[in-house]
């Protein structure tokens, strides 16, 4: 299944005969670099080219004058969740790409896309070729609901749904069902709000974003008019942040439909909350209880789509349609809270409630997966055990981003945590804990292996060709870009 | 490039107004071709007196970075603190990740109370982003929203120490968001 350049299939035999040293150095910038440098520079590689990978690279390159930092990515295109996770109507957030691009343009940084670490090349091989390996491969799996009916058509994970509208190759055939009037999103975080916004936004707003044409076409014909975001706990425990809530409240063509009784008794609690939670709760209360001004009341009355938060409900089962072929509703267990604040626990009361709906999206979090049996992994927490980014009991191995601390936080959180990991690595170089006296071949050694295996890495300038084509296709239809969905097509653009 | 449009549309339709420096919603530009991050026009203060852009680089501002170093910089009237940091390539890691579009909190700065009081009102949108900032204080603002003026000439601002306090030396623990 690995996308490869066809001409490369013919090369392995020759490469074997030629041996490592006969390769022209022009094809091996890493080798060239290490030969011309007076001392051996630390050779570092990063697995994953999302924000964690790029911010780690940025810090290393900026604070070490010789370190060589190579970034491996399994897709032919860089930037991870900035490209495939950030909502298409949040282009401001994607400005971070400009800084990442600067980092990739550094002479000491090489991007190697289309290389799946763990399949095309092993962690052990990376550790042999580099002095240090930083794991920044994120959280690519989803948490499962673990309820009957979860696999029925009409039920999708947020991860897949977001991947679908953002052009993630793996999700391009998802084809979600928008034929029902009501959608239920299980979860009350920012991803849940992103999805609600995408489901309910006027299509003319989405047309100007980099959402895929496939998603745009499907959403144009969507019959979804109501979106409920369901949480096990109460309004004081919602996980989304205030910016996203504010956007939702003012989303054109939609009106909030919240249950006032959920908010009526919050007044006493609010004043003692920390500022972020306090402002968030105040906005929730305002949206639910305050009588809107004339203009806003008019806007709401003219809106034909609605959304709302449903609290103290935990999913029990997806209810099938009569023919059993797709989802037709969801059964929720009514819960009550034990304890207060962030640590409150939802306990079932024994009552249930059924909501008829044709689209169910589970947005209950992402999960990291182990990359190799040789790398320690805490299955319970879904992270690599570490101390300030140093992988436990594994010298020379580091981690940053979601695989380090779990799949939460905004890009700024990942930035700081990646800088911390880079700082740990730099300290280890300085203290001698990370020995780099022995020369390592870095990317040139790995390119050798990849060549033998018929894998053609995609360079950053290759990506810039793909980028230019996407931008040109987008410009034709008034979008910032039209993403290419098929990795084969991406590879064809760079393999000429 | 239509990059700024959705936000602009949201702002307009939502009837929201940004009190301090409306520049960010009217002058945000996509900077794909400008990798040097000299985004002089993206975070330009446009609050009246400086709409044409003062050319006199005759104000000063001091930044104390995370390492405790004092970075002294000249500034033009009406220039945002984010612009000052970028223009002088000041050594503040990760500053201004979203390039002055109020989509992150990486240009978080802490002011002395006497200068803080000179800064004028703060928009809900800036408050929303500050809520996500590490080390939030009562005198925190976002650098992209602060325009240099004579009233704050010569002031010293602190880049917050980062997040060791929020996470500490964790081994295998999930941090709080």
């Amino acid at each position: 299944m690995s996308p490869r350049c066809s001409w490369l299939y013919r090369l392995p035999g020759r490469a074997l005969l030629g041996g490592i040293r006969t390769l022209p150095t022009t094809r091996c910038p890493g080798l060239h670099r290490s030969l011309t440098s007076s001392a051996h520079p630390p050779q570092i590689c990063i697995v994953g080219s999302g924000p964690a990978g790029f911010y780690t690279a940025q810090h290393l390159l900026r604070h070490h004058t010789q370190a060589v930092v190579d970034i491996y990515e399994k897709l032919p295109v860089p930037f991870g969740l900035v490209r495939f996770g950030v909502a298409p109507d949040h282009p401001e957030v994607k400005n971070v790409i400009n800084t990442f691009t600067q980092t990739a343009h550094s002479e000491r940084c090489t991007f190697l896309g289309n290389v799946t670490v763990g399949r095309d090349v092993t962690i052990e091989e990376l550790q042999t070729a580099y002095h240090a390996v930083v794991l920044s491969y994120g959280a690519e799996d989803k948490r499962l609901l673990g309820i009957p009916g979860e696999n029925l058509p009409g039920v999708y994970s947020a991860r897949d749904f977001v991947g679908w509208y953002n052009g993630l190759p793996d999700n391009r055939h998802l084809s979600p069902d928008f034929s029902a009037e009501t959608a239920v999103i299980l979860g009350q975080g920012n991803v849940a709000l992103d999805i609600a916004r995408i489901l309910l936004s006027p299509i003319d707003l989405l047309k100007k974003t980099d959402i895929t044409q496939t998603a745009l076409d499907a959403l144009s014909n969507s019959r979804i008019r109501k979106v409920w975001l369901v949480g096990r706990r109460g309004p004081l425990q919602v996980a989304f942040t205030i910016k996203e809530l504010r956007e939702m409240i003012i989303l054109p063509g939609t009106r909030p439909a919240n249950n006032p009784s959920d908010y009526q008794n919050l007044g006493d609690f609010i004043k003692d909350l920390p500022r972020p939670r306090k402002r968030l709760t105040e906005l929730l209360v305002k949206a639910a209880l305050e009588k809107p001004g004339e203009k806003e009341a008019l806007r709401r009355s003219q809106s034909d789509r609605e959304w709302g938060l449903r609290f103290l409900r935990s999913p029990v089962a997806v209810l099938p349609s009569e023919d059993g072929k797709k989802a037709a509703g969801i059964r929720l267990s009514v819960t009550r809270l034990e304890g207060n604040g962030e640590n409150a626990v939802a306990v079932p009361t024994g009552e249930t409630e059924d909501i008829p709906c044709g689209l169910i999206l589970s947005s209950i979090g992402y999960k990291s997966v182990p990359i190799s049996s040789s790398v320690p992994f805490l299955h319970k927490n879904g992270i690599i055990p570490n101390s300030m980014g140093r992988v436990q009991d594994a010298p020379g191995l580091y981690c940053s981003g979601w695989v380090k601390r779990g799949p939460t936080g905004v890009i700024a959180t990942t930035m700081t945590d990646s800088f911390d990991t880079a700082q740990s690595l730099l300290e280890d170089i300085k203290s001698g804990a990370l020995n780099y006296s022995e020369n390592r071949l870095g990317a040139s050694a790995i390119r050798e292996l990849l060549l033998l295996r018929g894998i053609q890495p995609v360079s950053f300038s290759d990506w810039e060709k793909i980028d230019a084509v996407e931008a040109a296709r987008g410009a034709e239809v008034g979008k910032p870009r039209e993403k290419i969905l098929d990795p084969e097509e991406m590879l064809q653009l760079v393999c000429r | 490039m239509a990059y700024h449009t959705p936000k602009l549309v949201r702002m307009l339709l939502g009837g929201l107004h940004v009190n301090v420096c409306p520049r960010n919603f009217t002058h945000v530009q996509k900077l794909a071709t400008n990798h040097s991050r000299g985004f002089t026009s993206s975070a330009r203060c446009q609050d009246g007196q400086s709409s044409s852009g003062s050319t006199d680089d005759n104000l000063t501002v001091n930044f104390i970075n995370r390492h405790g170093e004092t970075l002294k910089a000249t500034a033009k009237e009406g220039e945002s603190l984010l612009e000052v940091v970028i223009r002088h390539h000041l050594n503040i890691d990760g500053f201004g990740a979203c390039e002055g579009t109020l989509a992150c909190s990486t240009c978080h700065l802490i002011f002395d109370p006497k200068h803080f009081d000179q800064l004028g009102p703060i928009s809900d949108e800036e408050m929303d982003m500050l809520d996500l900032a590490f080390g939030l204080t009562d005198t925190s603002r976002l650098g992209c929203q602060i325009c240099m003026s004579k009233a704050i000439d010569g002031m010293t601002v602190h880049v917050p120490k980062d997040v060791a306090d929020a996470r500490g030396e964790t081994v295998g623990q999930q941090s709080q968001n």
Side-chain angles (χ1 to χ4, degrees):
Chain A
M1 274 299 285
S2 163
R4 290 157 180 162
C5 293
S6 54
W7 59 269
L8 265 171
Y9 282 117
R10 297 192 293 273
L11 276 184
R14 270 188 57 200
L16 274 173
L17 289 171
I20 287 173
R21 277 162 302 277
T22 60
L23 273 179
T25 49
T26 48
R27 296 256 300 276
C28 306
L31 184 63
H32 182 68
R33 247 174 355 215
S34 59
L35 290 177
T36 52
S37 175
S38 54
H40 308 310
Q43 296 274 354
I44 302 165
C45 79
I46 293 175
V47 179
S49 71
F54 266 105
Y55 278 126
T56 308
Q58 177 184 327
H59 196 90
L60 291 169
L61 291 163
R62 184 163 178 179
H63 295 280
H64 196 289
T65 53
Q66 271 114 42
V68 170
V69 181
D70 298 331
I71 304 177
Y72 289 83
E73 166 61 50
K74 74 174 174 179
L75 291 168
V77 294
F79 310 138
L81 283 188
V82 178
R83 178 179 164 106
F84 296 114
V86 172
D89 58 346
H90 284 171
E92 327 74 62
V93 179
K94 301 187 196 198
N95 280 347
V96 296
I97 285 175
N98 297 329
T99 304
F100 297 166
T101 299
Q102 248 186 295
T103 299
H105 283 162
S106 159
E107 282 187 357
R108 291 184 283 126
C109 181
T110 303
F111 172 79
L112 295 103
N114 192 37
V115 179
T116 302
V117 173
R119 185 192 67 190
D120 301 336
V121 61
T122 65
I123 290 285
E124 289 81 358
E125 286 164 342
L126 289 178
Q127 286 182 294
T128 307
Y130 291 90
H131 298 107
V133 177
V134 184
L135 302 168
S136 310
Y137 61 84
E140 63 183 311
D141 207 357
K142 58 220 173 197
R143 288 187 190 281
L144 296 174
L145 290 168
I147 60 172
E150 184 170 6
N151 296 320
L152 282 171
V155 187
Y156 311 94
S157 75
R159 163 121 227 162
D160 292 344
F161 188 72
V162 170
W164 171 72
Y165 66 64
N166 275 333
L168 188 65
D170 276 356
N171 300 128
R172 65 189 190 275
H173 302 302
L174 191 74
S175 189
D177 184 346
F178 296 141
S179 62
E181 189 183 58
T182 303
V184 166
I185 302 172
L186 302 167
Q188 294 179 332
N190 281 338
V191 175
L193 278 182
D194 281 349
I195 292 175
R197 222 171 49 247
I198 296 298
L199 287 174
L200 295 177
S201 279
I203 208 77
D204 285 344
L205 287 187
L206 295 179
K207 270 182 190 163
K208 296 168 190 153
T209 73
D210 67 2
I211 193 169
T212 65
Q213 193 58 45
T214 318
L216 210 47
D217 292 343
L219 288 163
S220 301
N221 297 316
S222 166
R223 292 194 193 145
I224 306 280
R225 291 292 175 272
K226 294 183 167 113
V227 175
W228 307 124
L229 296 100
V230 174
R232 283 176 303 159
R233 301 190 291 169
L236 290 172
Q237 287 84 28
V238 293
F240 49 69
T241 49
I242 188 166
K243 175 190 181 233
E244 282 71 15
L245 174 64
R246 200 182 292 283
E247 270 180 295
M248 196 69 223
I249 291 171
I250 62 169
L251 185 69
T254 72
R255 60 169 171 261
N258 287 302
N259 188 354
S261 65
D262 286 334
Y263 305 90
Q264 266 150 0
N265 299 319
L266 294 178
D268 294 345
F269 293 101
I270 292 179
K271 62 181 192 310
D272 296 326
L273 294 170
R275 170 178 145 174
R277 176 65 70 183
K278 179 167 182 263
R279 294 186 66 246
L280 177 63
T281 311
E282 283 168 350
L283 185 59
L284 278 170
V285 170
K286 188 178 170 206
L289 299 183
E290 203 173 282
K291 199 166 183 283
E294 202 177 318
K295 212 171 141 193
E296 174 64 6
L298 180 68
R299 185 189 79 83
R300 290 188 190 178
S301 69
Q302 289 171 343
S303 299
D304 66 339
R305 301 176 176 203
E306 61 182 3
W307 64 276
L309 300 162
R310 293 292 172 265
F311 298 113
L312 301 173
R313 300 288 186 275
S314 175
V316 183
V318 174
L319 307 172
S321 56
E322 268 179 31
D323 60 9
K325 286 188 178 155
K326 62 179 194 175
I330 185 145
R331 177 158 298 159
L332 304 169
S333 151
V334 179
T335 64
R336 63 182 169 78
L337 288 186
E338 280 184 2
N340 287 314
E342 311 285 339
N343 298 321
V345 178
V347 183
T349 61
E351 281 177 70
T352 61
E353 178 192 9
D354 293 350
I355 303 182
C357 59
L359 178 64
I360 296 166
L361 296 147
S362 71
S363 182
I364 55 169
Y366 294 176
K367 172 171 104 171
S368 293
V369 292
I371 195 166
S372 158
S373 55
S374 67
V375 178
F377 194 81
L378 283 178
H379 287 272
K380 184 168 151 272
N381 311 54
I383 57 168
I384 294 173
N386 71 91
S387 173
M388 293 299 275
R390 297 178 180 94
V391 177
Q392 210 169 50
D393 303 324
L397 211 51
Y398 299 81
C399 59
S400 63
W402 280 3
V403 77
K404 169 188 177 188
R405 65 168 206 280
T408 59
V410 292
I411 288 182
T413 327
T414 287
M415 181 180 87
T416 318
D417 124 29
S418 302
F419 288 174
D420 283 352
T421 292
Q423 197 55 40
S424 297
L425 204 163
L426 292 171
E427 280 165 19
D428 290 351
I429 287 177
K430 207 171 163 187
S431 72
L434 184 70
N435 179 2
Y436 68 101
S437 59
E438 184 191 330
N439 191 25
R440 300 279 170 96
L441 292 175
S444 59
I446 301 301
R447 281 176 196 279
E448 279 300 309
L449 295 172
L450 294 173
L451 194 60
L452 293 173
R453 292 164 192 173
I455 306 289
Q456 168 71 354
V458 170
S459 69
F460 202 78
S461 60
D462 288 339
W463 147 246
E464 285 173 328
K465 287 180 206 161
I466 299 172
D467 183 37
V469 171
E470 290 189 339
R473 290 183 190 174
E476 285 171 20
V477 288
K479 296 166 75 174
R481 75 171 60 243
E482 187 62 56
K483 288 179 189 166
I484 297 171
L485 307 182
D486 183 356
E488 286 292 347
E489 189 184 348
M490 294 175 184
L491 292 176
Q492 273 162 18
L493 286 174
V494 301
C495 279
R496 281 173 302 203
Chain B
M1 288 294 186
Y3 256 57
H4 63 287
T5 311
K7 175 127 220 168
L8 188 58
V9 167
R10 285 203 300 275
M11 299 305 298
L12 293 174
L13 290 171
L16 294 172
H17 54 94
V18 175
N19 298 320
V20 188
C21 308
R23 67 206 178 276
N24 289 316
F25 299 102
T26 50
H27 289 264
V28 172
Q29 293 181 353
K30 171 69 168 62
L31 297 157
T33 54
N34 186 359
H35 296 311
S36 66
R37 279 170 57 102
F39 41 99
T40 48
S41 57
S42 69
R44 165 69 65 193
C45 287
Q46 298 271 330
D47 48 358
Q49 80 277 13
S50 60
S51 58
S52 59
S54 169
T55 51
D56 294 339
D57 207 9
N58 58 0
L59 303 176
T60 59
V61 54
N62 303 298
F63 296 86
I64 300 182
N65 71 11
R66 292 186 189 93
H67 314 294
E69 299 164 342
T70 300
L71 313 170
K72 188 169 185 166
T74 56
K76 299 169 188 173
E77 185 150 7
E79 193 175 25
S80 79
L81 294 184
L82 172 58
E83 281 179 288
V84 174
V85 169
I86 299 300
R87 182 161 64 90
H88 293 286
H89 304 288
L90 297 184
N91 179 24
I92 306 175
D93 286 337
F95 202 77
C98 79
E99 307 190 345
T101 57
L102 273 182
C104 75
S105 54
T106 57
C107 64
H108 174 199
L109 292 169
I110 298 169
F111 293 75
D112 287 337
K114 70 171 179 187
H115 294 125
F116 183 80
D117 293 339
Q118 304 280 324
L119 299 179
I122 181 167
S123 68
D124 282 342
E125 288 67 33
E126 184 184 347
M127 292 278 272
D128 291 354
M129 282 298 122
L130 278 170
D131 279 357
L132 303 179
F134 290 112
L136 183 66
T137 71
D138 290 340
T139 59
S140 289
R141 292 291 299 263
L142 294 180
C144 68
Q145 299 299 301
I146 305 303
C147 310
M148 276 307 289
S149 68
K150 290 200 177 76
I152 51 175
D153 185 23
M155 73 174 168
T156 297
V157 297
H158 291 253
V159 179
K161 293 252 186 335
D162 37 314
V163 292
D165 57 328
R167 288 200 319 283
E169 286 273 337
T170 53
V171 177
Q173 280 174 8
Q174 194 158 323
S175 72
Q176 11 183 316
N177 182 0

